[in-house]
Amino acid sequence: MEALDYHAEERRKAEFDAEEMKIVWAGSRQAYEISDRVARLVASDPVFRKDNRTMLSRKDLFKDTLRKAAHAWKRIIELRLSGLFFSCGMFIPAIKGQGNDEQQQKWLPMAYKMQIIGCYAQTELGHGSNVQGLETTATFDPETDEFVIHSPTLTSSKWWPGGLGKVSTHALVYARLITDGQDHGVHGFIVQLRSLDDHLPLPGITVGDIGMKFGSGAYNSMDNGVLRFDHVRIPRDQMLMGVSQVTREGKFMQSDVPRQLVYGTMVYVRQKIVADASCALSRAVCIATRYSVVRRQFGSHNGGPETQVIDYKTQQSRLFPLLASAYAFRFVGEWLKWLYTDVTQRLQASDFSTLPEVHACTAGLKSVTTSATADAIEECRKLCGGHGYLSSSGLPELFAVYVPACTYEGDNVVLLLQVARFLMKTVSQLGSGKKPVGTIAYMGRSEHLLQCRCEVERAEDWLKPNVILEAFEARAARMSVTCAKNLNNFPNQEEGFAQLATDLAEAAVAHVQLIIVSKFIEKLQQDIPGKGVKRQLEILFNVYALSLLHKHLGDFVASGCITPKQGALANEQLRLLYSQVRPNAIALVDAFNYTDHYLGSVLGRYDGNVYPKLYEEAWKDPLNETVVTDGYHEYIRPILKQHIRVARL
């Protein structure tokens, strides 16, 4: 049977160079070529089959994951690819950021070569976001020159570290450093957990998996673990001593290296999380867009075809802002990579001036992008109707895999409140002569922003980037200034923060959304090659910004920067923009360059051949291995034949 491409006509409609857009999405031609090569290598390798993941038992799923990981490592060596991405989470970045030269020279080569497998054991059963509340102890014993790692309570059990349950040989354990009875707070320690000969836990260590998690397949391929210590001894030099150390005599000392260097690790991890947000969101949007073109419902006249779902304005108004968000998050993620390089160079030169802003920026972007992406994946599932609920759609597993991002590496609400503290401090310093810079430079024009009125008279006025930018700046500035004024009404600022936490979090969101909008504008100001590519990015920018304005219209109007009539004009322009996205929708998701194997979705197939494949997938389910189901004779037949015995009382 001839293969059909149901999206071919849609691709012919594209008003831009699709190949050039792929390069823009990838970041460079070289990045595009490398990612394309790797994706196709993986897709063509039968070991990486994943269409049966949701049907495997937990043990079989985990073993299959180990098989794939081992094969991936083998291929990395054979093809001489970089293996850095293969390491477990933050184990390597933390040693790089917090270990001294000797420790890095000892541990990093082994970790890079996978001679040891490390995990990051910070979160405990009783404490997550409150790192300073961790209970695990590391007490120095001067007689043996060792630390004694101990779990004094049930709630001090390490809980959740990925790779801990069954795989890791070592852990970077965060514990309270105690010398001579004095508590010096939480520090990192490298602790061996399992024998390198037979993988059995070492004496004093209790370790295992914490059990099934949300979703079918999904994160259940990961061995998130529980870990307890019973007076486990480690050498003194296994405390990370890049920023502080304990001498042979047991004296606690700060090293010459500034403690602020630990922020480099945090920035690295959070910029990667933002990049992952654009990746997960674009996957969901790709599936929903391709299926919305294939699916037809209602609107048939005189026996003609029904209307494509993507042509309904209700579908466009839900889907196209998510498509625009995927691009917006991609571009702000690129900027975060630059920020990581910049702050690393500054830290090495003992320049800590940008740290408060960088911390607020990365915390806020991590929070806003992951929350938006988690919500968007679920919205994409609903955009696919009933079929989106099938595991074969790929969306349920994608959602289950992604939602933990809203919690790990900083709970999203807690992070927003950290951003809010930075904003309140910025507002308090406005009269001091200290000029705000970087992402808060707009605060230096707060007097103007508190008074300005949006100059929009027609719907098309909303297409001007400077008009949009000023509206977002005015909203963010006014929300922050209002919160600062309200805080002054409380005799105790901490009480004020507690009472105004919701308003403060909303002000933080406004600030972060402004950052994303401004970085999208900066991207548009760059030299973007390719026929029609820049024009499409301009359309997506306007969709992203105006959809946010529509969603938060109350904030914009309440702050006085725009009127209700101007808000209505923004909505009018947004509807027109959806019509401009529509002919290019398939080409815009093609630019993500995802293979069918990577998407793992029948609904998101490149060729759009959805219905035969849905039918085919259904028959692969283990329930269909027998015509008459197991349990018929024991349970169904007695009911049908009325052979149920009723006990006499």
Side-chain angles (χ1 to χ4, degrees), residues 82-93:
S82 169
L84 300 186
F85 70 93
F86 204 70
S87 62
C88 289
M90 285 182 64
F91 182 76
I92 287 177

Side-chain angles (χ1 to χ4, degrees), residues 60-99:
D60 288 340
L61 175 65
F62 184 65
K63 188 173 181 179
D64 184 60
T65 302
L66 293 180
R67 181 173 70 100
K68 289 173 179 172
H71 184 68
W73 181 245
K74 177 173 175 282
R75 295 295 285 151
I76 286 169
I77 294 173
E78 289 173 349
L79 298 173
R80 298 182 180 179
L81 299 172
S82 169
L84 300 186
F85 70 93
F86 204 70
S87 62
C88 289
M90 285 182 64
F91 182 76
I92 287 177
I95 293 175
K96 290 176 69 175
Q98 299 170 38

Side-chain angles (χ1 to χ4, degrees), residues 251-265:
K251 183 180 179 181
F252 176 75
M253 298 175 58
Q254 295 288 348
S255 73
D256 295 333
V257 178
R259 192 167 175 78
Q260 290 94 330
L261 283 178
V262 300
Y263 281 92
T265 303

Side-chain angles (χ1 to χ4, degrees), residues 19-184:
E19 287 301 308
E20 290 293 341
M21 188 68 87
K22 289 180 181 179
I23 294 169
V24 170
W25 174 263
S28 69
R29 184 174 296 276
Q30 182 184 24
Y32 163 64
E33 291 173 351
I34 292 173
S35 64
D36 184 67
R37 179 191 175 206
V38 171
R40 297 188 190 288
L41 279 171
V42 171
S44 63
D45 193 325
V47 174
F48 293 119
R49 175 193 174 192
K50 60 181 183 178
D51 60 330
N52 63 339
R53 279 171 51 84
T54 58
M55 300 177 193
L56 297 176
S57 68
R58 174 80 197 286
K59 290 184 72 172
D60 288 340
L61 175 65
F62 184 65
K63 188 173 181 179
D64 184 60
T65 302
L66 293 180
R67 181 173 70 100
K68 289 173 179 172
H71 184 68
W73 181 245
K74 177 173 175 282
R75 295 295 285 151
I76 286 169
I77 294 173
E78 289 173 349
L79 298 173
R80 298 182 180 179
L81 299 172
S82 169
L84 300 186
F85 70 93
F86 204 70
S87 62
C88 289
M90 285 182 64
F91 182 76
I92 287 177
I95 293 175
K96 290 176 69 175
Q98 299 170 38
N100 59 26
D101 291 341
E102 292 79 9
Q103 290 172 323
Q104 292 185 36
Q105 291 167 10
K106 176 181 178 180
W107 296 100
L108 291 179
M110 291 190 289
Y112 285 142
K113 295 175 184 177
M114 297 294 286
Q115 293 170 334
I116 62 173
I117 301 174
C119 65
Y120 187 82
Q122 177 173 291
T123 300
E124 295 178 353
L125 185 58
H127 288 91
S129 296
N130 182 15
V131 177
Q132 297 310 311
L134 297 179
E135 300 176 83
T136 304
T137 57
T139 306
F140 183 64
D141 181 353
E143 292 187 7
T144 60
D145 195 26
E146 294 173 320
F147 286 106
V148 181
I149 313 295
H150 185 59
S151 306
T153 63
L154 179 67
T155 50
S156 69
S157 305
K158 295 299 178 183
W159 192 273
W160 276 116
L164 168 63
K166 295 295 177 182
V167 171
S168 293
T169 61
H170 290 68
L172 186 51
V173 176
Y174 282 83
R176 312 195 69 80
L177 171 61
I178 298 172
T179 63
D180 197 23
Q182 185 176 356
D183 188 332
H184 299 283

Side-chain angles (χ1 to χ4, degrees), residues 264-293:
T265 303
M266 177 202 68
V267 176
Y268 168 79
V269 172
R270 288 182 180 165
Q271 65 91 13
K272 189 175 185 309
I273 290 174
V274 173
D276 289 345
S278 73
C279 182
L281 175 53
S282 58
R283 286 177 66 181
V285 167
C286 185
I287 294 168
T289 301
R290 286 176 175 172
Y291 179 65
S292 294
V293 167

